[in-house]
């Protein structure tokens, strides 16, 4: 991306991911998986690694990655969001990989990242706890003497994960920023249970840790801004996934409006419908611009990233949720049925809207970071 | 020729070094710019340009700004007129008009809207009849910005009432310096009078001042409007801060601006003055109010994302992708931003938002914002019309059934 336009290579990547997902992530397959205990298709998931080679898009080549930038990763995510592809890609290849990349020692990265990038190991980040349901930074749980006890909620793909990256403060310096710790899902002190979500295409669970021995990622005295950066990167990734879903909703609404006839004419000739769609297009385009700009900021190591991450997630939240609600309205009664596909994206919109911060939280934080905004 | 950034910079620098003189006569300098092609470098070489890609114009602007060199005249409708003549005029018209547009000697306005045809521009009932070698014009235009300063107008009028409405229109260059043209100012809700009513009573247009052929009026008007939408927001040029630069040419420029910018002093306010929001929110403490914070952040997000969307559109164009509907999207975004800015300025001011004048917030600027924002979603095509354009041309949605397809004389009018 030359800051504001995708390169030919990036467009080709988009094209090949779209083609793959059109073949392997059909809505009928997704509907089957909604009733499956794992919630994803291991075969098509493995194809991301073997066929598409996108297991470690943004990871350095020495760790088994493709050595591309966050922009390429976000292109992949946008396509997954568009296709509503149910998979642990976000939890393992993005969030857990980011935590390792940001904080791990060379040895830790060399050991784990290649496994994640090849799909050989599923990892996830255990972040939420009772104290931080609205503010992810408000972590209270602590690791004492290399051992962790506590319950983490809303852990993505918790029941299929083979390895947990636990976010907790270090007992001895609990005033400092949260740190990242590794735990193996085979540890007898770990108990996972699935949590029922309105969005069956993205699995969540609750994980309780009872005296589980954990390994600190990175050195004891490391850069404590890493946690904030992890959260910003996660918001940017999710925002890019979300704008893909919003775009799908708009396209399917327009297609439906062109075919549905009432009062002797297609409803797409009625201004109440047309103008809704025009407004959606504008809102989605603005949200895409926010998401793309933030992805580029990650790639450039731009100091304005924190601000752009807030902009991207808040804009994506609002655009996706509005698209979802309007898409159902445009479909009329059929839009409220289980058989119509719109609700699948509606549910993803809702779960994504509240994951990693609602718009209100991001807007408030944006103004806290105001000096950044003005300086840039 | 292939232009590169360094080539542009080098050649322009040496031109400016040789020719720029802050004590030159404004008119002499502008004529030099026109002759050199540095006034409008993206125009064709044959017509005072250098065939330069749009993408390099920012380099040119930077070089001018660096030494404070005055540019060709850009204020108002003049560039819409110029672009329209470049696209549809004949060589004699280009020869006659383009130079004086750029030197600032002649000022233009847009005579499109009428009492009976605003959004429905093709419903024009201003009559054009060919008598001998002159078109005789009768009728009325309205909301004509800057007509009180105009030497010429871009005129849309009807020559044929028996064909469907879009086909009976022609496009003319109307000379304001004649008896049959009367201009009456119209006072606006914000107290300014930047637009006018214009009456034609047997006004004359020489045959040689018809642009295109009979029936081309609609298509040519679309070109003008496309440029207007693309430039929404920067159709006027804010008086540049000349800072440390000194010379008599700036005094002449300031004199010119006093007249040409007069109708546009409130234009920044109608866009909402987003630039004032953070400083005001900090000064008043509103930045700590949880409700105001949310609204301020919404505004910042909207305006940032709109800027980036415009840059994406420009980048796509530079990659050779066709010009999309970004003009309409951008115009709609501008309306949303302006309205949100008015909401935020009201939140920041509280009860003071009802006051006006020198003693009121920002010496009356906030009052002017609140009373000017309503114009932005009307002027240059309403928000509703932009939504029609976006839904039909971008999203491919169906047109509404029409009730105005027969001969124009039979179409219902207000
Ligand atoms: C500050 C300002 C400066 C201007 N300067 C100029 C100028 O220099 N030259 C010039 O020619 N004109 C100028 N205009 C006029 C402007 O272009 C028109 O006002 C505008 O196009 C709307 O036309 P109208 O006022 O007749 O409203 P109408 O067309 O009567 O519209 C009234 C309402 O109906 C809605 N409406 C109309 N048609 C449709 C439709 N098909 N679908 C949905 N809704 C519809 C409109 O959106 C609007 O809300 C200016 C206007 C303003 C406010």
């Amino acid at each position: 991306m030359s800051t504001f336009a995708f390169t030919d290579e990036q467009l080709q990547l988009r094209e090949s991911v779209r083609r793959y997902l059109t073949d392997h992530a059909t809505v009928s397959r997704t509907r089957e998986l909604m009733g499956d205990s794992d919630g994803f298709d291991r075969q098509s998931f493995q194809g991301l690694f073997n066929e598409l080679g996108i297991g470690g898009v943004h990871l350095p080549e020495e760790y088994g990655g493709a050595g591309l930038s966050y922009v390429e990763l976000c292109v992949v995510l946008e396509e997954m969001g568009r296709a509503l592809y149910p998979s642990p890609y976000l939890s393992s290849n993005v969030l857990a990989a980011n935590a390792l990349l940001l904080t791990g020692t060379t040895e830790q990265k060399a050991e784990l990242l290649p496994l994640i990038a090849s799909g050989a190991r599923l990892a996830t980040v255990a972040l939420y706890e009772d104290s931080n349901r609205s503010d992810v930074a408000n972590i209270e749980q602590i690791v004492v003497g290399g051992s962790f006890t506590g319950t983490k909620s809303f852990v993505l793909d918790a029941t299929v994960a083979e390895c947990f990256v636990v976010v907790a403060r270090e007992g001895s310096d609990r005033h400092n920023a949260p740190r990242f710790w590794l735990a193996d899902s085979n540890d007898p002190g770990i108990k996972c249970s699935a949590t029922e979500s309105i969005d069956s295409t993205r699995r969540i669970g609750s994980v309780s840790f009872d005296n589980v021995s954990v390994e600190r990622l990175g050195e004891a005295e490391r850069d404590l801004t890493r946690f904030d950066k992890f959260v910003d990167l996660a918001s940017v990734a999710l925002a890019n996934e979300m704008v893909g879903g919003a775009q799908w909703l708009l396209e399917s609404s327009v297609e439906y409006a062109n075919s549905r006839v009432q009062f002797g004419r297609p409803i797409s000739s009625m201004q109440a419908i047309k103008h809704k769609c025009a407004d959606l297009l504008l809102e989605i385009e603005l949200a895409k611009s926010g998401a793309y700009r933030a992805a580029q900021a990650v790639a450039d190591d731009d100091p304005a990233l924190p601000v752009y991450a807030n902009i991207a997630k808040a804009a994506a939240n609002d655009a996706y949720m509005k698209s979802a609600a309007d898409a159902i309205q445009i479909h009329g009664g059929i839009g409220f049925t289980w058989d119509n596909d719109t609700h699948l994206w509606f549910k993803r919109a809702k779960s994504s809207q509240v994951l990693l911060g609602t718009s209100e939280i991001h807007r408030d934080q944006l103004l806290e970071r105001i000096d950044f905004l003005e300086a840039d | 020729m292939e232009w590169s950034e360094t080539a542009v910079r080098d050649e322009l620098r040496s031109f400016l070094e040789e020719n720029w003189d802050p004590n030159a006569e404004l008119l002499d300098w502008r004529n030099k710019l026109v002759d050199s092609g540095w006034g409008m470098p993206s125009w064709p070489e044959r017509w005072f340009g250098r065939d330069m890609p749009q993408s390099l114009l920012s380099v040119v602007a930077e070089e001018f700004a660096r030494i404070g060199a005055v540019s060709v005249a850009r204020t108002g409708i003049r560039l819409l007129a110029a672009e329209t003549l470049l696209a549809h005029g004949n060589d004699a018209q280009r020869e006659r008009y383009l130079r004086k547009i750029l030197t600032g000697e002649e000022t233009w306005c847009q005579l499109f809207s009428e009492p009976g045809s605003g959004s429905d521009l093709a419903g024009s009932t201003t009559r054009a009849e060919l008598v001998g070698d002159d078109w005789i014009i009768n009728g009325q235009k309205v909301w004509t910005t800057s007509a009180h300063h105009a030497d010429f107008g871009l005129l849309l009028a009807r020559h044929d009432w028996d064909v469907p409405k879009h086909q009976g229109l022609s496009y003319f260059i109307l000379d304001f310096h004649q008896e049959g043209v009367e201009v009456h100012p119209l006072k606006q809700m914000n107290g300014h009078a930047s637009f006018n009513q214009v009456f034609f009573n047997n006004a004359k247009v020489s045959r040689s001042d018809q642009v295109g052929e009979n029936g081309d009026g609609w298509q040519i008007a679309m070109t003008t409007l496309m440029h207007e939408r693309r430039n929404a927001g920067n159709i006027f040029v804010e008086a540049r801060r000349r800072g440390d630069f000194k010379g008599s040419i700036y005094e002449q420029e300031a004199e010119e601006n006093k007249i040409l910018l007069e109708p546009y002093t409130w234009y920044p306010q109608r866009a909402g003055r987003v630039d004032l929001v953070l400083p005001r929110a900090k000064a008043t403490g509103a930045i700590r109010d949880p409700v105001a914070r949310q609204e301020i952040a919404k505004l910042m997000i909207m305006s940032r994302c709109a800027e980036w969307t415009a840059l994406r559109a420009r980048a796509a164009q530079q990659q050779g992708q066709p010009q999309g509907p970004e003009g309409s999207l951008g115009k709609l975004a501008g309306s949303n931003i302006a309205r949100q800015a008015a909401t935020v300025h009201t939140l920041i001011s509280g009860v003071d938002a009802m006051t006006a004048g020198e003693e009121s917030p920002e010496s009356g600027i906030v009052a002017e914002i609140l009373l000017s924002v309503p114009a932005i979603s009307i002027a240059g095509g309403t928000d509703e019309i932009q939504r029609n354009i976006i839904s039909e041309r971008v999203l491919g949605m169906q047109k509404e059934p029409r009730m105005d397809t027969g001969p124009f004389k039979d179409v219902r009018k207000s």
Side-chain angles (χ1 to χ4, degrees):
Chain A
M1 193 145 164
S2 62
T3 309
F4 293 103
F6 289 105
T7 63
D8 287 345
E9 291 75 17
Q10 288 161 348
L11 293 174
Q12 278 160 17
L13 174 66
R14 182 186 294 288
E15 197 42 48
S16 64
V17 177
R18 184 170 299 187
R19 225 176 305 121
Y20 183 84
L21 294 176
T22 306
D23 294 344
H24 296 91
T26 58
V27 182
S28 59
R29 181 70 187 124
T30 298
R31 282 178 180 270
E32 281 167 24
L33 293 165
M34 284 160 58
D36 177 85
S37 64
D38 285 355
F40 73 108
D41 181 324
R42 289 194 184 259
Q43 207 180 341
S44 76
F45 186 64
Q46 206 50 48
L48 301 180
F49 307 92
N50 309 342
E51 276 182 54
L52 285 177
I54 55 170
V57 179
H58 67 306
L59 302 179
E61 285 170 64
E62 74 240 50
Y63 301 128
L68 299 171
S69 79
Y70 217 69
V71 175
E72 282 82 5
L73 177 72
C74 286
V75 165
V76 169
L77 287 166
E78 188 181 349
E79 289 307 313
M80 290 183 172
R82 177 189 172 85
L84 201 71
Y85 182 53
S87 87
Y89 189 83
L90 181 70
S91 56
S92 188
N93 300 78
V94 182
L95 303 187
N98 282 349
L100 272 157
L101 200 58
L102 286 170
T103 61
T105 61
T106 312
E107 295 76 48
Q108 287 167 329
K109 288 191 273 198
E111 188 191 330
L112 267 172
L113 283 176
L115 294 173
I116 291 176
S118 69
R121 174 117 12 129
L122 289 181
T124 190
V125 177
L127 172 63
Y128 280 97
E129 59 194 53
D130 277 341
S131 62
N132 72 343
R133 285 169 173 250
S134 53
D135 175 8
V136 285
N138 194 24
I139 302 272
E140 283 184 356
Q141 292 169 342
I142 52 172
V143 168
V144 181
S147 162
F148 179 63
T149 297
T151 300
K152 290 286 188 182
S153 314
F154 317 113
V155 179
L156 298 183
D157 306 299
T159 60
V160 295
E162 293 148 328
C163 156
F164 293 97
V165 175
V166 178
V167 182
R169 292 178 200 265
E170 178 135 44
S172 55
D173 74 341
R174 60 167 73 198
H175 301 298
N176 282 326
R179 294 173 183 277
F180 297 86
W181 312 79
L182 278 178
D184 193 316
S185 66
N186 288 327
D187 191 297
I190 293 183
K191 290 204 171 47
C192 286
S193 60
T195 304
E196 188 174 337
S197 168
I198 59 166
D199 173 16
S200 324
T201 68
R202 174 133 62 213
R203 297 308 170 91
I204 50 177
S206 153
V207 186
S208 73
F209 298 82
D210 183 14
N211 254 322
V212 173
S213 75
V214 293
E215 171 189 339
R216 184 198 291 111
L217 277 182
E219 313 292 347
E221 68 302 331
R222 59 164 177 91
D223 178 1
L224 291 171
T225 63
R226 296 287 103 177
F227 175 75
D228 288 341
K229 181 147 187 192
F230 167 80
V231 175
D232 289 338
L233 292 187
S235 297
V236 174
L238 186 53
N240 277 276
E241 187 201 272
M242 293 169 78
V243 295
Q247 177 71 31
W248 183 91
L249 284 161
L250 174 61
E251 286 173 22
S252 91
S253 300
V254 168
E255 194 182 314
Y256 181 75
N258 276 333
S259 64
R260 172 73 175 166
V261 173
Q262 288 289 279
F263 299 96
R265 54 176 168 133
I267 60 167
S268 78
S269 68
M270 292 162 182
Q271 291 197 344
I273 302 291
K274 289 164 85 157
H275 288 191
K276 230 189 247 314
C277 292
D279 284 335
L280 282 185
L281 177 70
L282 175 60
E283 190 148 347
I284 293 170
E285 283 302 312
L286 295 193
K288 279 186 186 172
S289 298
Y292 297 167
R293 183 67 193 86
Q296 184 66 44
V298 178
D300 295 345
D301 221 350
D302 188 330
L305 168 66
V307 165
Y308 293 172
N310 290 139
I311 291 177
K313 182 62 168 50
N317 281 348
D318 295 353
Y320 201 2
M321 217 39 243
K322 183 167 152 61
S323 308
D326 284 356
I328 291 180
Q329 185 66 21
I330 290 167
H331 280 77
I334 206 157
F336 192 64
T337 63
W338 190 267
D339 276 353
N340 183 270
D341 294 332
T342 311
H343 72 104
L344 305 180
W345 273 261
F346 181 99
K347 290 166 179 174
R348 177 64 78 80
K350 182 54 74 182
S351 75
S352 310
Q353 176 194 24
V354 295
L355 188 64
L356 296 168
T358 58
S359 301
E360 288 70 22
I361 292 167
H362 281 281
R363 288 194 288 256
D364 196 67
Q365 198 172 40
L366 174 65
L367 288 205
E368 266 165 43
R369 294 163 161 183
I370 197 94
D371 295 330
F372 254 134
L373 185 70
E374 283 171 308
D376 114 80
Chain B
M1 93 173 251
E2 278 293 310
W3 285 101
S4 71
E5 187 179 325
T6 7
V8 172
R9 234 181 257 284
D10 289 350
E11 204 175 319
L12 177 52
R13 273 190 195 186
S14 71
F15 169 81
L16 289 173
E17 252 160 54
E18 234 164 84
N19 294 283
W20 168 242
D21 170 10
N23 291 306
E25 284 293 313
L26 181 60
L27 187 56
D28 292 345
W29 164 245
R30 288 222 175 111
N31 271 313
K32 241 181 223 171
L33 276 179
V34 171
D35 290 328
S36 67
W38 284 116
M40 293 303 284
S42 64
W43 283 11
E45 213 157 313
R46 161 110 210 260
W47 298 110
F48 317 124
R50 293 181 154 249
D51 286 315
M52 201 179 275
Q54 297 272 343
S55 52
L56 288 169
L57 294 185
S58 57
V59 178
V60 175
E62 259 170 52
E63 287 302 312
F64 272 74
R66 195 174 56 83
I67 58 163
V70 173
S71 69
V72 290
R74 295 165 177 280
T75 307
I77 297 293
R78 56 173 18 87
L79 291 185
L80 303 189
E83 296 286 359
T84 306
L85 293 180
L86 269 180
H88 303 281
N90 58 38
D91 284 357
Q93 289 162 348
R94 293 169 180 153
E95 198 70 66
R96 163 64 187 85
Y97 295 111
L98 290 181
R99 175 182 294 271
K100 290 190 172 180
I101 286 175
L102 297 180
T103 59
E105 287 166 276
E106 290 173 349
T107 294
W108 290 63
C109 68
Q110 185 184 42
L111 297 161
F112 284 6
S113 303
E114 299 178 13
S117 65
S119 301
D120 184 14
L121 203 54
S124 165
T125 56
T126 293
R127 192 176 285 271
E129 281 167 302
L130 188 61
V131 178
D133 267 346
D134 285 325
W135 287 94
I136 306 299
I137 312 293
N138 282 288
Q140 186 201 336
K141 295 286 172 177
V142 73
W143 325 129
T144 316
T145 302
S146 219
H148 53 302
H149 297 307
D151 299 295
F152 297 96
L154 301 168
L155 171 69
L156 188 65
R158 181 168 307 279
H159 71 278
D160 190 344
W161 301 65
D162 295 323
V163 293
K165 64 182 186 181
H166 294 84
Q167 295 166 26
L169 297 170
S170 292
Y171 200 103
F172 304 97
I173 298 165
L174 178 108
D175 189 341
F176 269 72
H177 304 287
Q178 58 171 308
E179 269 194 8
V181 179
E182 255 182 63
V183 177
H184 295 270
L186 270 173
K187 190 169 176 180
Q188 298 147 193
M189 67 174 272
N190 61 3
H192 292 273
S194 52
F195 58 31
N196 305 268
Q197 289 173 289
V198 182
F199 296 91
F200 312 114
N201 193 355
N202 289 325
K204 277 188 192 164
V205 172
S206 145
R207 225 177 151 161
S208 59
D209 276 339
Q210 177 174 7
V211 185
E213 304 294 326
N214 286 359
D216 288 350
W218 177 253
Q219 187 208 340
I220 301 173
M222 287 302 103
T223 300
T224 313
L225 290 184
M226 185 190 70
H227 283 285
E228 180 170 13
R229 257 169 233 142
R230 197 182 295 173
N231 294 323
N234 55 358
I235 211 150
F236 67 98
V237 176
E238 258 184 286
R240 290 160 292 269
R241 249 175 297 138
R242 289 307 189 187
D244 300 334
F245 299 114
K246 296 224 164 26
S248 60
I249 198 167
Y250 299 121
E251 288 153 32
Q252 291 183 33
E253 191 194 25
E255 277 306 304
E256 179 190 79
N257 279 341
K258 234 188 260 166
I259 299 166
L260 293 186
L261 288 176
E262 170 271 319
Y264 303 104
T265 53
W266 58 280
Y267 273 41
Q269 280 67 270
R270 80 176 188 179
R273 291 303 299 272
V274 176
D275 60 310
L276 292 181
V277 166
L278 284 181
R280 292 193 68 221
K282 285 184 174 176
T284 58
I287 192 99
R288 287 184 303 276
D289 174 79
V291 175
R293 282 173 81 80
Q294 288 294 317
E295 298 305 319
I296 293 169
K298 278 184 204 167
L299 174 64
M300 295 300 151
I301 291 169
M302 243 191 245
S303 81
R304 250 341 139 86
C305 290
E307 264 171 51
W308 292 333
T309 304
L311 291 168
R312 275 172 60 209
R314 197 180 307 161
Q317 242 178 300
Q318 283 170 12
Q319 287 184 340
Q321 290 164 34
Q323 158 94 7
E326 300 83 17
S328 289
L329 274 181
K331 190 166 188 304
L332 203 49
S335 294
N336 291 343
I337 290 166
R339 275 189 293 263
Q340 177 66 11
T343 301
V344 167
H345 280 300
T346 304
L347 268 174
I348 294 174
S349 294
V351 70
D352 278 319
M354 71 171 136
T355 60
E358 270 307 310
E359 301 295 307
S360 71
E362 303 289 321
S363 312
I365 290 290
V366 170
E368 188 160 290
I369 294 169
L370 301 180
L371 299 182
S372 299
V373 161
I376 201 162
S377 46
I378 299 170
T382 66
D383 278 9
E384 289 73 21
I385 296 299
Q386 305 312 320
R387 291 190 183 100
N388 286 348
I389 294 174
I390 293 166
S391 56
E392 287 167 19
R393 308 224 189 113
V394 189
L395 294 174
M397 301 181 84
Q398 311 282 312
K399 287 198 188 311
E400 283 169 277
R402 300 198 72 128
M403 313 179 69
D404 58 353
T405 49
F408 183 68
K409 60 179 193 292
D410 303 331
V411 169
R412 179 172 167 184
K413 304 171 182 78
S414 335

